[in-house]
Amino acid sequence: MNVNKKLFMFFSLIFLVTLLAACGNSAIQSNSNSESSNTEESTEQQGENAGEGTIKVGSILPFSGVYASLGKDLSDGMKLYFDSVDWEVEGKTIELIEEDTEADPQIALRRVRKLMDQDNIDILTGAVSTAVAYAIRDDVDTNKLPYLASHAGGDDLTRGQRSDYIWRSSFSSWQIGHSMGEWAYENVGEKMYVAAADYAFGREVSAAFKDAYTAAGGEIVGEVYPPLGNNDYASYLTTISGVEADGVYGFFAGSDAVRFVQQYEQYGLKDKYTLVGSGWLVSEDLRESIGDAAEGIFASSFWDYSLDTVENQEFVAAYEEAYNRRPTVESLEGYDAARVIVEAISTLGGDVSDPDATVEAISNVTFTSPRGTIEFDKDTHHIIQNMYITETVIEDGRTENNVIHTIDSVQDPGE
């Protein structure tokens, strides 16, 4: 064998080995792709299986904008309760899909349509703004989507715009305003002045207060409605200071409440008129900003941090352990809404495929909440609950609310 022939055979052998190696790598790579493909297929199948065992709860809340803090507290309250049942009911996994409404009705409507059309949710909850709740009302009703309103309090949602598929576990404007009327007449005096933020909810709450107060025998000696988001109440407070009255009923929330209460004291009205209002005037998340000016205010609410019940103490302890901050009334609303949903699913044995059966199950839910016993009015679809009168006092160098009176089982008249 000559040298050239030996070289040819040597390089041929190298080429063959290289070719086999290449084929081997190709085969190995092919198997890997196949395994990967099989894994993806398996994952998809698992997803489908998981979907069959999953109940999807859509939640529309403001996570940005002026009501962002309320949305977060509602969300945290819901998650706290779902955590307590390990996100499972009757063998079904609860999947919570949250959408940011930005408190904008049109944005909220798009989010709800996405939840219905793309996510195929089984139950809808949430809405802080009443305008948002009204905006989505027709889509919810037309599509027969069970909807549990967990905050928005506009009266008409469970009155003129009532739907077979809409139930409310939070409050109505009427409950907030009306509950203070008779108490104010009996405990403050016969003449009251009304000051409230000029928007739908402020007007509704004030109207309910006036109805109850005058029905009890009181007289409204004047009214003023500063714009929402007002910074300077000087002109309004100057007007009020010139009237003969025993007290002032005020409805303000958020930063408006902080400024109104502080300026009420600065302009000398605190020493002249007893200030009463809704719970948002002296809420848990505002009193530190308000300071001592909140002392002496009487307010009506359906829950307070200070409620001395086993259920409330357990709720407060669990919330503070989970989030390292006090719960607010919105935290309570989210917690209770999650429990209503879980109780309804449990009654149905985990089958929420029939929306009529689902809302029927919601209508029958009743339990002892941290706020007291709650149940639904089957005519109005609105919650029946206790209302509480609180007094803000100074304890250990900070303001605290104390519950001083309970109005049992307050039921919205529905008209």
Side-chain angles (χ1 to χ4, degrees):
M1 183 177 296
N2 59 36
V3 175
N4 290 336
K5 190 172 183 178
K6 289 180 178 177
L7 287 173
F8 173 79
M9 293 180 65
F10 174 76
F11 285 116
S12 295
L13 181 61
I14 294 293
F15 174 77
L16 181 61
V17 170
T18 303
L19 180 63
L20 288 173
C23 288
N25 285 339
S26 177
I28 292 170
Q29 186 65 43
S30 178
N31 286 339
S32 295
N33 285 343
S34 177
E35 288 173 2
S36 175
S37 177
N38 288 339
T39 301
E40 290 176 0
E41 183 178 346
S42 175
T43 302
E44 289 174 1
Q45 186 61 46
Q46 289 173 0
E48 291 175 3
N49 292 339
E52 294 172 357
T54 299
I55 294 174
K56 295 184 177 181
V57 178
S59 177
I60 48 167
L61 292 170
F63 294 110
S64 57
V66 294
Y67 295 142
S69 63
L70 279 63
K72 177 173 174 50
D73 286 350
L74 271 152
S75 174
D76 286 346
M78 288 191 72
K79 291 170 181 173
L80 182 67
Y81 188 79
F82 286 144
D83 279 342
S84 74
V85 296
D86 294 328
W87 295 78
E88 287 187 3
V89 190
E90 297 292 322
K92 301 290 184 69
T93 299
I94 298 171
E95 180 182 354
L96 180 64
I97 306 174
E98 296 183 311
E99 293 288 344
D100 182 6
T101 66
E102 303 176 32
D104 183 307
Q106 292 308 309
I107 292 174
L109 186 56
R110 291 197 294 273
R111 298 286 191 267
V112 168
R113 288 172 177 169
K114 177 259 184 186
L115 287 168
M116 289 190 294
D117 299 338
Q118 297 181 29
D119 298 316
N120 298 314
I121 60 170
D122 301 293
I123 299 170
L124 178 69
T125 187
V128 165
S129 164
T130 292
V132 164
Y134 288 157
I136 66 171
R137 184 265 175 207
D138 287 349
D139 277 49
V140 166
D141 184 69
T142 301
N143 289 279
K144 299 183 178 181
L145 176 65
Y147 169 40
L148 182 66
S150 58
H151 182 90
D155 286 335
D156 215 30
L157 191 63
T158 49
R159 295 184 179 182
Q161 297 198 45
R162 187 176 68 85
S163 161
D164 290 344
Y165 303 95
I166 299 176
W167 295 74
R168 180 158 55 194
S169 60
S170 51
F171 59 90
S172 68
S173 307
W174 183 90
Q175 283 182 323
I176 299 298
H178 195 272
S179 59
M180 177 56 82
E182 184 175 346
W183 187 91
Y185 175 75
E186 294 177 351
N187 295 277
V188 177
E190 298 178 352
K191 295 182 179 180
M192 295 287 288
Y193 198 97
V194 173
D198 188 14
Y199 71 115
F201 190 70
R203 293 276 183 173
E204 285 187 353
V205 171
S206 300
F209 170 78
K210 290 188 294 181
D211 287 347
Y213 183 72
T214 55
E219 178 186 358
I220 302 298
V221 296
E223 302 173 49
V224 65
Y225 295 90
L228 190 65
N230 191 46
N231 289 318
D232 186 358
Y233 292 94
S235 62
Y236 306 104
L237 294 170
T238 300
T239 300
I240 296 172
S241 67
V243 303
E244 182 182 343
D246 299 301
V248 173
Y249 179 82
F251 178 84
F252 298 95
S255 57
D256 281 355
V258 175
R259 287 188 283 267
F260 180 82
V261 173
Q262 288 178 333
Q263 293 175 27
Y264 191 86
E265 180 183 51
Q266 291 166 7
Y267 281 83
L269 274 68
K270 180 177 178 180
D271 296 330
K272 192 172 183 180
Y273 310 112
T274 300
L275 181 58
V276 304
S278 77
W280 288 282
L281 204 59
V282 286
S283 62
E284 282 299 324
D285 56 338
L286 295 184
R287 287 202 315 277
E288 184 175 355
S289 299
I290 294 173
D292 291 352
E295 182 188 19
I297 293 176
F298 297 94
S300 61
S301 180
F302 50 93
W303 173 84
D304 191 80
Y305 180 87
S306 65
L307 269 175
D308 188 17
T309 65
V310 172
E311 292 80 9
N312 194 47
Q313 290 170 352
E314 291 177 349
F315 164 66
V316 167
Y319 193 93
E320 291 180 342
E321 181 179 0
Y323 303 114
N324 196 31
R325 69 179 191 277
R326 284 189 175 191
T328 64
V329 70
E330 287 78 25
S331 309
L332 177 278
E333 288 174 328
Y335 187 81
D336 276 355
R339 181 167 177 182
V340 169
I341 291 170
V342 167
E343 298 266 353
I345 295 171
S346 180
T347 299
L348 295 165
D351 181 4
V352 292
S353 59
D354 182 349
D356 292 300
T358 300
V359 293
E360 176 67 18
I362 289 174
S363 76
N364 290 320
V365 171
T366 180
F367 56 83
T368 303
S369 150
R371 67 177 110 170
T373 300
I374 61 174
E375 62 180 314
F376 289 98
D377 183 333
K378 293 191 177 184
D379 290 330
T380 65
H381 298 186
H382 185 70
I383 194 169
I384 301 171
Q385 61 187 338
N386 294 344
M387 294 296 297
Y388 304 99
I389 304 298
T390 65
E391 178 182 11
T392 304
V393 299
I394 294 180
E395 293 179 356
D396 300 326
R398 62 182 290 175
T399 58
E400 297 283 0
N401 293 337
N402 286 336
V403 174
I404 60 171
H405 181 66
T406 301
I407 307 166
D408 293 323
S409 303
V410 177
Q411 185 173 8
D412 190 288
E415 58 183 13

